[in-house]
Amino acid sequence: MEKKVTMQDIADRLNISKNSVSQALSGKPGVSEETRRLVQNTADELGYSYSNSRNQNQVEKKTLKNIALIASDYAFSLKSFFGEIYLSIEKELRARGMNLFIEPIDSISIDNLTLPSLFTNHEIDGVIILSHISTDYTAKIISTGIPTVLIDHHEPSLQSDSILTNNRFGAFTAVEHLIQLGHQDIAFVGDVDISPSYQERLEGYLLALRRYRIQPKEAFMFTNAQENLNEINLFIDNLVDQPSAWFCVNDGHGFLVTSVLQQRGFKVPEDVSVCSFDNGQLSQIATPGITTMDIDLNYYGKKAVERLCWRMENKDEPIQEILLPTKLIIRESTAQKKQSE
């Protein structure tokens, strides 16, 4: 029967201590690289079976995924909305044992199409882009070939998976709620050029009116509304007739519209109803509380990480857009339309 090779046999062959052999084969410090290679070669020659934990550590280090979270400075500043998504992404990546690199992109980098230094200083395995930066900048990131998932943004020319809110159906539900309360003169407020999400919410608004055979009134559609009091005041000043209800593309606009109406002596919801979108802090602290469409922001992050992990393993599969549902949260800002006396 052939004698089993031991560490002592290797030590005797090389005239070194058994401890040095153990250090060399386990990948522990204490021996030179030259001695380590000599011990490993001798072990292979004698047929000694060993597990090189140092090599194993290198493999594990290599397989540890590095994920970059990219967003504009503006998006990162919207902590009440994108902050929750960021935290859910961080939590999900941590649970999967992945590294997260956070990279805000300023306007100069966007204009010059300058990618973050982390793309050259680190081995990035996947990218999550939060909201809209610019189509050209996003396209440049995608062109690196690194698997990329977009959150709350999509565009026909961008070949990338996207995690999106079902904005059309969410807006439809919100406007339908107002219609079922007897409102037909419903205003729309939002800047549709800021984001595809707002354009889709306009489409949902129009879809609901069409479904209930209500003719849209162009005078009630404020589609380039900036999020400030002066803009809202000016729009209301120019109205000949007053809407009985307002649908706003986000809670910021909903808060402003409610404030301006109240300053002008309108009672919400006795005289006019207001409904918004996102279920953010402003809709919750407003007086009265604003009826809004809720988005599960934690689920956003979870689905984005889940999709990115899948994409990293399936790089050649067709891209997909995943629509997340919304939920109507009815608060005190909407009520049955007041009947004319």
Side-chain angles (χ1 to χ4, degrees), residues 7-8 10-12 14-23:
M7 283 190 186
Q8 189 61 55
I10 300 171
D12 292 342
L14 298 175
N15 197 25
I16 60 176
S17 70
K18 180 180 177 182
N19 184 57
S20 294
V21 173
S22 176
Q23 288 174 316

Side-chain angles (χ1 to χ4, degrees), residues 87-129:
L87 290 174
S88 67
I89 291 171
E90 183 182 45
K91 178 182 178 182
E92 191 67 22
L93 289 174
R94 190 187 306 120
R96 293 171 180 259
M98 296 180 174
N99 294 324
L100 175 61
F101 294 86
I102 302 167
E103 193 68 37
I105 309 299
D106 58 37
S107 58
I108 296 175
S109 297
I110 293 172
D111 292 341
N112 295 328
L113 299 180
T114 304
L115 294 184
S117 59
L118 64 86
F119 280 87
T120 53
N121 296 342
H122 298 86
E123 186 176 340
I124 300 299
D125 299 287
V127 177
I128 295 174
I129 301 179

Side-chain angles (χ1 to χ4, degrees), residues 52-64:
N52 188 332
S53 61
R54 186 180 189 201
N55 289 344
Q56 183 65 28
N57 288 338
Q58 290 174 338
V59 171
E60 289 175 356
K61 185 176 180 181
K62 185 177 180 181
T63 57
L64 187 63

